[in-house]
Amino acid sequence: MARVVVDVMLKPEILDPQGQAVANALPRLGVTEVSSVRIGKRIELEFVGEPDLDKAREIADKLLANTVIESFTISVADDKGQVEK
Amino acid sequence: MARVVVDVMLKPEILDPQGQAVANALPRLGVTEVSSVRIGKRIELEFVGEPDLDKAREIADKLLANTVIESFTISVADDKGQVEK
Amino acid sequence: MKIGVVTFPGSLDDGDARRAARLAGAEAVQLWHADADLKGVDAVVLPGGFSYGDYLRCGAIARFSPVMEKIIDAAKGGLPVLGICNGFQVLCEAHLLPGALLRNSHLHFRNRDQKLRVENTSTAWTSGYTEGQEIVIPVKNGEGCYQADEHTLDALEAEGRVVVRYVEGNPNGSQRDIAGIRNEAGNVVGLMPHPEHATEALTGPFGGGVDGLVMFTSVLASLGVKA
Amino acid sequence: MTTADTVDLAEKTPDEEQPYAALGLQPDEYERIREILGRRPTQSELAMYSIMWSEHCSYKSSKVHLKQFGEKTPKNNRMLAGIGENAGVVALNDEIAVTFKVESHNHPSFVEPYQGAATGVGGIVRDILAMGARPIAVMDQLRFGAVDHPDTPRLVHGIVQGVGGYGNCLGLPNIGGETVFDPCYQGNPLVNALSIGVLPISRLQNKTASGVGNAVILMGAKTGRDGIGGVSVLASATFEEGSEDSRPAVQVGDPFMEKLLIESCLEIYDAGLVVGIQDLGGAGLTCALSETSAAGGLGMRAYLERVPLREASMEPHEILASESQERMLLIVAPENVDAVLAICDKWGVLGTNIGEITEGDRLIISWNDQIVVDCPPGSLADDGPVYARPLREPADLILLQADRAETLPRPTDLRAELLTLVASPNLCDKSWITEQYDRYVLGNTVLAQPEDAGVIRIDEESNLGVALATDGNGRYTRLNPYEGAKLALAEAYRNVSVTGATPIAVSDCLNFGSPEDPAVMWQFAEAVRGLADGCLEMGIPVTGGNVSFYNQTGTVAINPTPVVAVLGVLDDVTKRTPMGFAEAGDTIVLLGETREELSGSEWAWVRHGHLGGQPPKVDLLGEIKLADALRVADLVSAHDLSDGGLAQALTESVLRRGVGATVELPGDAFVDLFSESAGRVLVTVKDVEALRAVVGDIPLTVLGTTGGDALTVRREGPGAVNTQFEIPLTELAEAHQGTLARLFG
Ligand SMILES: Nc1ncnc2c1ncn2[C@@H]1O[C@H](COP(=O)(O)OP(=O)(O)O)[C@@H](O)[C@H]1O
Ligand SMILES: [Mg+2]
């Protein structure tokens, strides 16, 4: 299946209040072993034909990420990792 | 590095207005080969010691995802795919 | 004088911006996102709202609309452009202004009457204020936290390009309390607060302030009209 | 192509087992369906009947009571559309009308707080749009469990962000609402949403599918598996914790699509291109197809394979039951179809011709040439079951009413008492919530929270405007549903009147437990009787509303919570009276009589966790007199007294603009401060004698003067113990304004 994944994360130097909020909430759930949390976007692009990584990169650069504050990673979907529920 | 990634996506039957908006915008950028777009969250959990997948799953289930509308995947960070900028 | 107000799908304060332009004495002209035509307007307002739903990133999609292509060129040619809230976000996405606007640091949408200090009056949109003047204008945004790298921020400060600053409380965590900035030439200004919501005593900020009207009279003045 | 359960098949297999019970139908209801059809229903028909005959859609338990609104409420020539329409429509003058309605989205908001609340706002806005109006504002009435319950933060954050997220993105100012915390709402939060719209009377729309040969156009979002069976599963049965599997897919709202839907529909109305229109809410296509065709008294033919789907695998009964949001159904003359679709295209909204009006009186729906539905639409829309359910006064009511709060121990330190009360969750400042809502957009908001009523300018030339307020006190209604409903009406009426507006219409949202519990049903019957009698007495009609039953967990129901909305008109909004002391030197006057009425009060609840006795006495004719006086009097400010009594009203009035006050209490200082007697308003004036001249026999008490930076309370005469105190405004603000941020920030 021709799915390309673009992961967009805030650049490390940019403050991530959302991740911060989650990190702060964890102790209340009894979680102490997580030192930091970053929250970004996972964007799945379904291609009609063959997954086109260069095209995906172009789209990410132009539209999906604002490279002033964000960086992105391109990969072809590999559905490992166990899906829940 | 002990980073666990939680990918949270809307369940397939749930409307994804965000992905839809992007999909509708692509043709205006001259992109015609993308048939559908889904947008979810990528959450990176930095563990102090060993990455604990079960712990991550518990956090995802309790806090990161609302399993009424979302499903999630847990994986250990593997930084393949080429990072840009 | 004609002030054009762009209507993107999802624009919300376009009607208010047109009303403000009228109250300032201009002719308000509606510009449609899909028309690559500025209808001969003398200035342009990019209004607040949620263009295209603002689903990906505020302003990210609007920036690619046909009318924006024209506005980007015209702005580089000196056309006065004011981006309000979502309009500010569009201007940053279009790289007419530096930096970006992120999720408010407290993660909430916040609507309140906000005190601002006018830091720079050498712009098409703030010439009617006096430097250091304190004004009250409503803010209402979820993603108004201005961010740029230190180098850019220093440059903005050094060149007097910070136009308005939040005082007595920063509503969104914006760096250096920045509420609005301008380009080098001063014809392009972007700000998070909503001057169009402070143009009538009846509906303006609590207490009846009309401080926002000056932005619209300023541009008319700068266009050589008695405001 | 898969095959569906067709009418043919249903005729050939009469004895096929059908899961009607699982769909919430009673055996006798199922039998009636078979009689109506003369055969077993198809799977699609069964889905449609189960939805249309559900409590939520058919009002089968409430109908017999609600008819009082029609019978009792005064005939009124302002009313252009009433109960039965998507929303009531009231004329402001010969050209302009407004339409408003309040509706519940309680159960979905418990399952998925953000989306539940968001789609609640979206749903009520479409009702307003369907009447031909441009929506111009929203309000939200929220009830949560105890602030310290572990699940409350999830609901508060999700629901408030949902209301804001949708309303803000839609560009509708939020001009008011309610926020109440009470353990009785644990597991059953109430999310009511109100919307108001304005229309030229000539643009009034209806849902009648008239004109044989006219096209049936579906507009808006694609149809997906959202909330399949949501209406029947979620809103028509007691919600079982952990029944994940029976949960329908939650609807996700798309306010951006709704905004486009609004703009395109208004353009279509103005071009005169539509014969009839109906919004798709809960019950989706099922409701829209059957109600429009039933209203037209004609037949309809619909082709489900034409419906744009999000998931190709959807089956006909799913397409019919889907609750996908942001959709409208239009009836359009053939020659106008292209024009309608062109406008859809301009706004980027899907428009699809899915059928036509036919001769006869059958609703016939096919899917890929297979007939899956063939029934009389009226049997779905109008001839649902009607129950006169058993009523029984709650067994504990006599004891409850005997346990009066007037006998509770009283405080000696009134200063501390006041600071505690005004900081309590129900009385504290609500800015932490209301700052998450846009109150400025559209540029016509004259008054909004924390004012007593929201005031919106309708016409920029004439300054014609409207005022809106909603109220409902579940504790009062628990103690006495009949009087409690009248009290809710009285308070909303008063909140509108303090702005100087003339109340002209009522809408309501009746939130109750299970109608199958005779005690709940009794509370419901009494509340409806009270509201209907009250409206008759006050001379303003109920124009529409909504009933939400099954707000209970197990056998424990919520306090009966009728939310009453009152709409008022202001000929000139520039003359409205705001709340809050404006400047030093004005005279502070209390209008109305203060009695020793503490039962059901916020004081009794906060101080003693006590609920008992009879709610405050309500005098509706007195309220009318008061309102009339407020309209003619020359007032600097006005603020009604309600929950928390004078202590609360003084606190809100001094903090509004930071103008202090010194007041002298006439009677028992404690009662003066904390009694919740109805029919009272706190005003400030320049000239007391001029006020005296217009209030007639309404009790008038001069309390003191505005000014300074403290709230100073004095009480002359004997027996005054610790009743003289002074609270700096900074300290008062600290107490009143910090609470919600501290709890949920
Ligand atoms: N959920 C809410 N949304 C919008 N406004 C609210 C909400 N909750 C409370 N408010 C506003 O806060 C103010 C105080 O509420 P309340 O004390 O219930 O008013 P009142 O007692 O006059 O009915 C009012 O202006 C009300 O509209
Ligand atoms: Mg009030």
Side-chain angles (χ1 to χ4, degrees):
Chain A
M1 180 198 40
R3 188 136 51 74
V4 175
V5 176
V6 181
D7 287 317
V8 180
M9 301 298 290
L10 284 167
K11 290 180 174 173
E13 67 270 21
I14 303 280
L15 195 76
D16 171 16
Q18 225 181 332
Q20 200 61 51
V22 170
N24 297 342
L26 288 177
R28 261 179 279 122
L29 297 180
V31 179
T32 54
E33 51 274 79
V34 172
S35 56
S36 100
V37 180
R38 305 280 295 174
I39 300 186
K41 295 197 202 82
R42 173 186 170 90
I43 303 165
E44 299 180 349
L45 304 173
E46 206 77 58
F47 277 78
V48 182
E50 269 313 289
D52 180 340
L53 288 184
D54 297 336
K55 196 68 181 174
R57 188 168 304 106
E58 184 196 327
I59 297 170
D61 191 46
K62 240 179 149 179
L63 179 67
L64 302 181
N66 175 352
T67 50
V68 174
I69 47 169
E70 297 166 324
S71 61
F72 61 87
T73 325
I74 308 274
S75 58
V76 177
D78 52 344
D79 292 339
K80 73 166 156 58
Q82 51 281 66
V83 180
E84 314 262 321
K85 299 228 172 44
Chain B
M1 185 198 41
R3 187 135 49 76
V4 175
V5 175
V6 182
D7 286 317
V8 180
M9 301 297 290
L10 285 165
K11 292 179 177 174
E13 70 273 17
I14 301 284
L15 172 69
D16 174 12
Q18 220 185 345
Q20 201 175 286
V22 172
N24 296 341
L26 288 177
R28 260 181 285 117
L29 301 186
V31 178
T32 53
E33 51 274 79
V34 172
S35 57
S36 103
V37 180
R38 304 279 296 174
I39 301 187
K41 289 199 232 81
R42 173 186 169 92
I43 301 147
E44 299 179 349
L45 304 172
E46 209 74 57
F47 277 78
V48 182
E50 269 313 288
D52 179 340
L53 289 184
D54 296 338
K55 197 51 151 189
R57 188 168 303 107
E58 184 194 331
I59 297 170
D61 193 46
K62 270 204 197 140
L63 188 64
L64 303 179
N66 176 356
T67 52
V68 175
I69 55 173
E70 298 168 320
S71 61
F72 59 84
T73 324
I74 307 277
S75 57
V76 177
D78 51 345
D79 292 338
K80 70 163 157 58
Q82 48 283 61
V83 179
E84 312 265 319
K85 307 224 171 43
Chain C
M1 284 290 162
K2 292 185 187 168
I3 297 182
V5 178
V6 176
T7 298
F8 299 104
S11 291
L12 303 179
D13 301 310
D14 46 338
D16 299 31
R18 291 197 301 272
R19 184 194 291 107
R22 281 195 304 275
L23 290 170
E27 177 189 346
V29 177
Q30 180 170 24
L31 302 176
W32 183 241
H33 71 110
D35 304 344
D37 173 12
L38 299 188
K39 300 185 180 169
V41 296
D42 306 288
V44 166
V45 176
L46 302 177
F50 292 72
S51 54
Y52 300 89
D54 274 356
Y55 282 123
L56 176 67
R57 230 174 27 254
C58 299
I61 297 178
R63 164 241 171 132
F64 291 102
S65 61
V67 77
M68 275 311 294
E69 306 298 328
K70 279 272 180 296
I71 289 171
I72 291 169
D73 293 344
K76 289 175 179 158
L79 180 79
V81 177
L82 176 66
I84 302 169
C85 196
N86 192 222
F88 186 12
Q89 293 157 340
V90 173
L91 291 174
C92 290
E93 286 285 338
H95 304 303
L96 283 173
L97 292 173
L101 293 140
L102 273 67
R103 186 91 177 267
N104 294 352
S105 55
H106 47 71
L107 300 177
H108 292 300
F109 184 97
R110 182 158 289 164
N111 178 188
R112 63 165 58 154
D113 297 343
Q114 178 67 43
K115 187 176 269 192
L116 307 170
R117 186 171 56 243
V118 180
E119 300 281 22
N120 184 285
T121 56
S122 51
T123 82
W125 301 92
T126 55
S127 55
Y129 298 101
T130 56
E131 210 137 293
Q133 181 180 348
E134 293 196 335
I135 58 178
V136 175
I137 289 186
V139 289
K140 44 168 213 182
N141 63 68
E143 306 197 2
C145 179
Y146 184 76
Q147 290 266 341
D149 57 59
E150 286 303 306
H151 161 79
T152 307
L153 291 169
D154 292 337
L156 286 173
E157 302 274 9
E159 299 161 23
R161 289 171 53 194
V162 174
V163 176
V164 277
R165 217 184 288 269
Y166 302 115
V167 292
E168 294 178 17
N170 179 330
N172 48 33
S174 187
Q175 281 177 320
R176 306 198 189 180
D177 298 327
I178 288 173
I181 58 174
R182 66 170 176 91
N183 64 352
E184 292 82 349
N187 63 309
V188 178
V189 171
L191 66 159
M192 284 320 289
H194 288 258
E196 79 280 17
H197 290 324
T199 55
E200 285 185 287
L202 183 66
T203 56
F206 183 60
V210 294
D211 294 341
L213 196 56
V214 178
M215 297 242 175
F216 298 86
T217 50
S218 294
V219 75
L220 294 185
S222 73
L223 288 166
V225 178
K226 298 272 148 297
Chain D
M1 183 193 73
T2 56
T3 58
D5 183 22
T6 61
V7 170
D8 289 351
L9 201 60
E11 263 149 7
K12 292 201 200 77
T13 58
D15 308 325
E16 166 127 355
E17 282 289 313
Q18 296 193 279
Y20 63 84
L23 292 170
L25 286 166
Q26 301 300 321
D28 55 322
E29 293 174 344
Y30 178 65
E31 272 319 307
R32 252 196 74 212
I33 297 168
R34 296 189 68 123
E35 276 166 39
I36 290 167
L37 298 173
R39 56 173 166 79
R40 75 159 174 89
T42 65
Q43 187 182 19
S44 296
E45 288 166 337
L46 187 64
M48 291 178 82
Y49 280 98
S50 73
I51 289 168
M52 293 306 290
W53 287 12
S54 70
E55 187 63 60
H56 182 87
C57 295
S58 72
Y59 288 79
K60 57 187 165 189
S61 304
S62 51
K63 250 196 184 116
V64 294
H65 302 283
L66 296 179
K67 63 173 170 11
Q68 292 173 73
F69 291 142
E71 295 160 359
K72 287 183 187 170
T73 55
K75 288 293 151 273
N76 172 311
N77 49 10
R78 282 181 181 273
M79 196 144 105
L80 306 178
I83 293 165
E85 299 296 332
N86 285 307
V89 179
V90 189
L92 297 183
N93 57 32
D94 298 345
E95 287 89 38
I96 303 175
V98 293
T99 175
F100 73 121
K101 189 181 177 193
V102 55
E103 203 162 67
S104 70
H105 223 218
N106 304 338
H107 302 269
S109 301
F110 178 70
V111 179
E112 213 302 307
Y114 183 96
Q115 294 298 340
T119 52
V121 173
I124 190 63
V125 166
R126 281 192 302 281
D127 275 317
I128 296 310
L129 178 62
M131 298 311 295
R134 171 178 282 283
I136 55 170
V138 295
M139 296 173 108
D140 57 315
Q141 299 74 28
L142 310 180
R143 306 284 189 284
F144 302 103
V147 287
D148 54 6
H149 186 280
D151 196 34
T152 301
R154 171 185 77 99
L155 294 166
V156 169
H157 281 114
I159 287 167
V160 170
Q161 281 170 30
V163 169
Y166 205 100
N168 296 343
C169 189
L170 206 50
L172 295 177
N174 186 307
I175 58 168
E178 302 167 66
T179 305
V180 174
F181 298 91
D182 188 304
C184 78
Y185 301 112
Q186 239 128 257
N188 292 284
L190 302 186
V191 176
N192 294 181
L194 176 150
S195 182
I196 176 170
V198 61
L199 63 148
I201 289 174
S202 57
R203 202 171 71 192
L204 180 59
Q205 303 294 328
N206 64 55
K207 58 176 167 187
T208 310
S210 54
V212 172
N214 283 346
V216 179
I217 308 276
L218 180 61
M219 253 178 86
K222 286 185 180 173
T223 297
R225 288 199 167 90
D226 311 63
I228 301 281
V231 160
S232 35
V233 176
L234 282 184
S236 300
T238 309
F239 185 72
E240 303 286 340
E241 253 295 25
S243 60
E244 267 93 10
D245 313 340
S246 73
R247 278 179 188 171
V250 170
Q251 319 94 294
V252 169
D254 181 355
F256 173 59
M257 174 58 70
E258 180 119 324
K259 166 74 175 167
L260 301 181
L261 202 53
I262 291 172
E263 298 305 331
S264 46
C265 282
L266 290 172
E267 200 168 321
I268 288 167
Y269 298 154
D270 287 333
L273 298 173
V274 54
V275 173
I277 184 163
Q278 167 78 320
D279 62 293
L280 278 71
L285 267 176
T286 289
C287 181
L289 292 172
S290 49
E291 284 194 359
T292 49
S293 46
L298 287 166
M300 185 181 286
R301 186 79 173 75
Y303 306 84
L304 292 182
E305 70 278 7
R306 298 185 190 171
V307 174
L309 301 180
R310 227 161 57 222
E311 292 174 89
S313 64
M314 287 178 73
E315 296 183 37
H317 68 277
E318 293 180 307
I319 298 169
L320 286 164
S322 164
E323 292 187 357
S324 291
Q325 301 291 297
E326 293 91 25
R327 297 179 299 164
M328 303 287 278
L329 192 79
L330 282 64
I331 309 301
V332 178
E335 62 273 21
N336 292 330
V337 169
D338 290 347
V340 166
L341 297 184
I343 291 173
C344 292
D345 196 52
K346 170 187 170 189
W347 287 99
V349 172
L350 275 174
T352 314
N353 185 337
I354 64 163
E356 67 268 338
I357 316 292
T358 57
E359 300 282 359
D361 64 352
R362 305 291 288 186
L363 172 59
I364 299 174
I365 303 174
S366 61
W367 183 61
N368 303 318
D369 307 322
Q370 309 172 65
I371 304 294
V372 293
V373 173
D374 180 349
C375 69
S379 68
L380 287 159
D382 310 321
D383 310 337
V386 176
Y387 297 134
R389 298 206 184 257
L391 317 172
R392 195 182 331 101
E393 180 178 306
D396 64 354
L397 192 61
I398 292 172
L399 284 175
L400 195 66
Q401 291 175 337
D403 174 21
R404 304 171 56 250
E406 287 73 14
T407 63
L408 295 168
R410 300 186 180 183
T412 49
D413 185 344
L414 291 182
R415 186 183 194 276
E417 200 74 354
L418 185 147
L419 285 169
T420 307
L421 262 288
V422 300
S424 63
N426 291 341
L427 295 182
C428 70
D429 174 84
K430 302 299 191 303
S431 300
W432 182 84
I433 290 172
T434 59
E435 282 192 339
Q436 298 187 47
Y437 304 151
D438 180 351
R439 67 177 169 283
Y440 277 102
V441 64
L442 298 185
N444 288 313
T445 306
V446 177
L447 295 178
Q449 49 274 23
E451 300 283 333
D452 288 315
V455 170
I456 293 279
R457 175 177 61 186
I458 298 285
D459 181 346
E460 284 183 44
E461 273 62 48
S462 68
N463 284 319
L464 173 71
V466 292
L468 257 174
T470 72
D471 286 290
N473 185 319
R475 286 199 308 266
Y476 291 172
T477 327
R478 173 74 172 90
L479 295 178
N480 187 328
Y482 181 82
E483 296 298 326
K486 282 188 169 184
L487 279 159
L489 172 65
E491 188 183 345
Y493 189 98
R494 205 182 316 127
N495 276 312
V496 161
S497 301
V498 289
T499 69
T502 308
I504 56 171
V506 172
S507 177
D508 64 75
C509 187
L510 307 173
N511 306 274
F512 287 75
S514 167
E516 293 155 41
D517 175 345
V520 169
M521 208 54 219
W522 179 83
Q523 293 173 323
F524 180 81
E526 283 295 285
V528 170
R529 192 170 64 87
L531 184 55
D533 288 351
C535 288
L536 184 60
E537 204 172 339
M538 302 195 100
I540 48 176
V542 175
T543 62
N546 172 252
V547 175
S548 171
F549 278 129
Y550 296 101
N551 296 287
Q552 68 179 60
T553 310
T555 59
V556 189
I558 60 166
N559 286 342
T561 310
V563 167
V564 179
V566 170
L567 172 78
V569 60
L570 282 146
D571 296 332
D572 181 355
V573 287
T574 64
K575 302 224 161 63
R576 88 287 181 198
T577 308
M579 73 177 249
F581 299 155
E583 58 183 359
D586 294 339
T587 307
I588 304 168
V589 177
L590 178 64
L591 297 176
E593 180 190 357
T594 303
R595 301 179 214 84
E596 184 171 346
E597 294 181 308
L598 298 156
S599 291
S601 71
E602 208 57 53
W603 172 79
W605 182 251
V606 170
R607 253 303 164 234
H608 300 279
H610 179 276
L611 175 58
Q614 285 284 357
K617 177 168 162 297
V618 54
D619 167 14
L620 296 178
L621 296 180
E623 298 280 357
I624 294 174
K625 260 200 227 161
L626 184 61
D628 293 342
L630 290 168
R631 263 190 302 282
V632 295
D634 187 0
L635 306 172
V636 177
S637 80
H639 186 21
D640 86 301
L641 271 63
S642 57
D643 317 30
L646 180 63
Q648 174 75 359
L650 282 170
T651 300
E652 291 173 337
S653 298
V654 294
L655 291 182
R656 183 69 170 134
R657 286 182 173 78
V659 175
T662 301
V663 299
E664 202 164 289
L665 300 172
D668 175 317
F670 168 74
V671 173
D672 286 338
L673 284 172
F674 299 108
S675 163
E676 294 187 3
S677 295
R680 297 183 300 162
V681 171
L682 189 69
V683 302
T684 52
V685 293
K686 302 278 178 203
D687 177 351
V688 182
E689 293 320 309
L691 180 61
R692 247 183 245 287
V694 297
V695 299
D697 59 1
I698 299 169
L700 179 156
T701 315
V702 174
L703 288 182
T705 335
T706 59
D709 47 21
L711 173 60
T712 305
V713 176
R714 289 210 248 90
R715 158 113 161 39
E716 297 309 322
V721 190
N722 296 330
T723 58
Q724 327 242 4
F725 61 84
E726 175 169 301
I727 307 176
L729 295 191
T730 49
E731 184 182 357
L732 191 60
E734 174 98 1
H736 184 55
Q737 292 164 357
T739 308
L740 291 184
R742 207 176 311 118
L743 286 166
F744 305 110

